[in-house]
Amino acid sequence: MALVMLVVGGVYGAARLVALAPRALTATSFTGGIAPLEHAVSRFHVRWYPVAMLFLAFDMEMIFMYPWTRVISIMGVSAVVEMFTFLAVLLAGVAYAWREGALRWT
């Protein structure tokens, strides 16, 4: 155990001795040869968040629909009712977002 601790301590010590001084990143992101117009970690406008939430909702819909197609013949009518209930909840979410203006860009 002492030998392992000594080896690990030696590796950490050697890494500290040969480490380069931290400096600012000089390279920029590759954007097809065009210089970036804004910082890479700049914030997005708040209007993108409802759009992202709608995308995630419909992404989840697809994740649930693929296995559903495999078990619909086994489960029968109850599977159809459950899926259309799920779709109705998603449609209600889209209607609410539309009513609140989340999809309006002006």
Side-chain angles (χ1 to χ4, degrees):
M1 184 68 163
L3 180 63
V4 170
M5 296 290 279
L6 186 63
V7 169
V8 169
V11 169
Y12 274 111
R16 191 171 282 262
L17 287 175
V18 298
L20 298 174
R23 61 177 182 209
L25 182 63
T26 58
T28 60
S29 60
F30 179 75
T31 57
I34 301 171
L37 299 175
E38 58 188 25
H39 196 273
V41 291
S42 63
R43 295 178 186 252
F44 292 103
H45 195 278
V46 70
R47 78 173 78 160
W48 285 105
Y49 293 106
V51 173
M53 295 308 286
L54 285 173
F55 170 77
L56 288 175
F58 284 101
D59 201 29
M60 289 296 109
E61 172 195 3
M62 286 295 109
I63 288 174
F64 287 128
M65 282 188 107
Y66 286 135
W68 173 74
T69 60
R70 301 290 294 179
V71 299
I72 190 171
S73 61
I74 299 168
M75 303 246 340
V77 177
S78 66
V80 175
V81 170
E82 288 175 7
M83 183 51 69
F84 279 106
T85 303
F86 178 66
L87 291 176
V89 170
L90 281 178
L91 186 61
V94 169
Y96 174 76
W98 193 338
R99 187 186 74 192
E100 292 297 317
L103 304 175
R104 195 174 316 127
W105 291 102
T106 57

